[in-house]
Amino acid sequence: MKRFALSAAPIDAAAEKAALEHPAAGGCVTFEGWVRNHNEARAVTRLDYQAYGALAESEGAAILDEACRQFALRAARCVHRTGALAIGDMAVWVGASADHRDAAFAACRWIIDEVKRRVPIWKNEHYADGESGWLHPSGDPVGPA
Amino acid sequence: MKRFALSAAPIDAAAEKAALEHPAAGGCVTFEGWVRNHNEARAVTRLDYQAYGALAESEGAAILDEACRQFALRAARCVHRTGALAIGDMAVWVGASADHRDAAFAACRWIIDEVKRRVPIWKNEHYADGESGWLHPSGDPVGPA
Amino acid sequence: MKIRLLYFASLADRAGRTEEIRDTVATNPRDLYAEIAREHGFAFAPERLRVAVNDALVGWDHALADGDEVVFLPPVSGG
Amino acid sequence: MKIRLLYFASLADRAGRTEEIRDTVATNPRDLYAEIAREHGFAFAPERLRVAVNDALVGWDHALADGDEVVFLPPVSGG
């Protein structure tokens, strides 16, 4: 089963979490990103996510592989939605299981940060005032691989 | 609904997580503690958790209240098992939802650390060699005091 | 006065019971623990324990009253 | 040589298309971006973009070949 996937359909968090199970794992940490009704003080009504599929899959897989090398994990997975999402919908799911919780917390946080920084997925926010816009956060540019 | 609960029955993680939902929340972080098949290099076959119920409930509730004051959360919850558990069973579930992931990660980690430090619950580990022992602070089994 | 004691985890194993009612001259948890530790052979120094009276954590010099329920809490291991 | 370009997010909106095939004299992504940014009015400085050729991230001086598929990636906002 692939560690990173894009999904045009709702994410099955329970199935993802079940794939982290391991008899030596003392626990798992998960992060779910939800579509919230506000951003930077603007009222948000819905979102669209667009992905550059081939590169998103390979970059996502690379992040998960790096996490499994850097942290003492038993398993780690991530799924990211594409398409139209409503308020409250799950946009991304990340999970990591490990013998000890330190590694599970650190890895889960690292994975979502790297996914947000590197994976080519873009969010188009639709606002209550009728406007919409692609989000292109400024911040340090990310170099080539 | 109480933020902290003891449960003699298996924890319904999906129901707990659903209780964290909020339209302004941008995500949630959960921690699940699982019974693992080893501890300090000994093979573990099963566990019993014993709780001082009244104080565990009030101390657990105090921890969740403190978390909600200290971190910018939308919701936080915790459930801890009591009784006999097998390898792979969920011993504890913690979840926190927040507008921003920083708060959700920090709160989830803080809650599980405080629960492990303060809530009067004790673990009796049963080992593959037939021995068993109550775990006290350092994690060393102490047998009868 | 009469005090009800509850025992948990290794203290219950060592005492061979999960509760008892004692008639004691101890007026605070410190003296009460010294008394029962001697009798049951508890190895924990008080510094490693916490004390609860009537389901609330208290200090070692808390004044005990007749009918109180007292618990000496060994280090916890939940999670 | 012929290069296929894919556009995403605000670059697709600005270009008014999600892909195009161009005949270009540009031999690397740097020169190619200068050419299309002028034509489509892209506002991003190259420093804020990444480049992929044939679904792999590359540097701005990567040598382009006939038939390559090139994507200029604006800052991402997944998660």
Side-chain angles (χ1 to χ4, degrees):
Chain A
M1 206 153 56
K2 286 187 302 177
R3 285 175 174 155
F4 178 89
L6 295 173
S7 174
I11 297 168
D12 184 346
E16 293 300 320
K17 195 183 66 182
L20 300 179
E21 291 172 6
H22 189 288
C28 81
V29 174
T30 70
F31 170 78
E32 295 184 6
W34 298 341
V35 178
R36 64 173 189 230
N37 63 7
H38 63 102
N39 189 29
E40 308 273 333
R42 293 187 78 170
V44 174
T45 56
R46 61 188 183 85
L47 296 183
D48 297 302
Y49 279 108
Q50 186 179 63
Y52 172 12
L55 186 60
E57 300 259 8
S58 61
E59 193 71 357
I63 290 167
L64 275 287
D65 289 351
E66 288 168 41
C68 290
R69 284 196 300 274
Q70 281 183 46
F71 302 95
L73 302 180
R74 293 292 172 175
R77 303 176 60 75
C78 176
V79 185
H80 201 297
R81 277 297 309 277
T82 57
L85 278 74
I87 303 304
D89 283 354
M90 197 189 310
V92 60
W93 183 94
V94 178
S97 65
D99 294 18
H100 301 285
R101 70 189 186 286
D102 271 344
F105 271 102
C108 186
R109 179 61 197 257
W110 185 84
I111 291 165
I112 184 60
D113 287 354
E114 289 297 292
V115 165
K116 290 174 74 86
R117 195 171 74 86
R118 290 162 53 182
V119 175
I121 298 173
W122 297 272
K123 182 190 298 185
N124 195 8
E125 281 186 346
H126 298 263
Y127 303 107
D129 60 14
E131 291 190 11
S132 72
W134 291 101
L135 298 191
H136 293 305
S138 52
D140 295 333
V142 184
Chain B
M1 205 153 56
K2 287 187 301 177
R3 285 175 175 155
F4 178 88
L6 295 174
S7 174
I11 297 169
D12 183 346
E16 293 299 320
K17 195 183 67 181
L20 300 179
E21 292 173 5
H22 189 288
C28 81
V29 174
T30 69
F31 171 77
E32 294 184 5
W34 297 341
V35 178
R36 64 173 188 230
N37 63 8
H38 62 103
N39 190 29
E40 307 272 335
R42 293 188 79 170
V44 174
T45 56
R46 61 188 182 85
L47 297 182
D48 298 301
Y49 280 108
Q50 185 181 63
Y52 171 14
L55 186 61
E57 299 259 8
S58 62
E59 193 72 357
I63 290 168
L64 275 286
D65 289 351
E66 288 168 42
C68 290
R69 283 196 300 274
Q70 280 183 46
F71 301 95
L73 302 180
R74 293 292 172 176
R77 301 175 62 75
C78 176
V79 185
H80 200 297
R81 278 297 309 278
T82 57
L85 278 74
I87 303 304
D89 283 354
M90 197 189 311
V92 59
W93 183 95
V94 178
S97 65
D99 294 18
H100 300 286
R101 69 190 186 286
D102 271 345
F105 272 101
C108 187
R109 179 63 198 256
W110 184 85
I111 292 164
I112 184 60
D113 287 353
E114 289 296 293
V115 165
K116 289 174 75 84
R117 196 172 73 84
R118 290 164 53 184
V119 176
I121 299 173
W122 296 272
K123 181 189 299 185
N124 195 8
E125 281 186 347
H126 297 261
Y127 302 107
D129 60 14
E131 292 189 10
S132 72
W134 291 101
L135 298 191
H136 290 306
S138 60
D140 296 333
V142 293
Chain C
M1 63 188 166
K2 283 210 164 62
I3 298 289
R4 183 160 179 258
L5 283 141
L6 305 184
Y7 296 116
F8 290 95
S10 63
L11 294 185
D13 284 1
R14 176 57 70 107
R17 72 199 74 187
T18 58
E19 57 179 280
E20 67 178 319
I21 293 174
R22 297 183 73 86
D23 227 327
T24 183
V25 296
T27 58
N28 59 47
R30 189 183 311 282
D31 295 343
L32 180 63
Y33 183 70
E35 176 184 319
I36 62 167
R38 212 161 35 235
E39 180 167 325
H40 294 308
F42 293 159
F44 285 114
E47 295 75 39
R48 294 193 64 208
L49 304 177
R50 290 182 295 168
V51 195
V53 172
N54 302 331
D55 298 334
L57 292 167
V58 299
W60 286 90
D61 296 317
H62 178 89
L64 294 175
D66 188 57
D68 277 350
E69 183 180 85
V70 178
V71 183
F72 294 102
L73 302 160
V76 299
S77 50
Chain D
M1 61 187 168
K2 283 208 164 62
I3 298 290
R4 184 160 179 258
L5 284 139
L6 305 184
Y7 296 116
F8 291 95
S10 65
L11 294 185
D13 284 2
R14 178 59 72 103
R17 72 199 73 188
T18 58
E19 57 178 280
E20 67 178 318
I21 293 174
R22 297 184 73 87
D23 228 326
T24 182
V25 296
T27 58
N28 59 46
R30 188 183 311 284
D31 295 344
L32 180 62
Y33 183 70
E35 177 185 317
I36 62 166
R38 213 161 36 236
E39 180 167 323
H40 294 308
F42 293 159
F44 285 113
E47 296 74 38
R48 294 195 63 208
L49 304 177
R50 288 182 294 169
V51 195
V53 173
N54 302 331
D55 298 334
L57 293 166
V58 300
W60 286 90
D61 296 316
H62 178 90
L64 295 175
D66 189 56
D68 276 351
E69 184 180 85
V70 177
V71 183
F72 295 101
L73 304 159
V76 300
S77 50

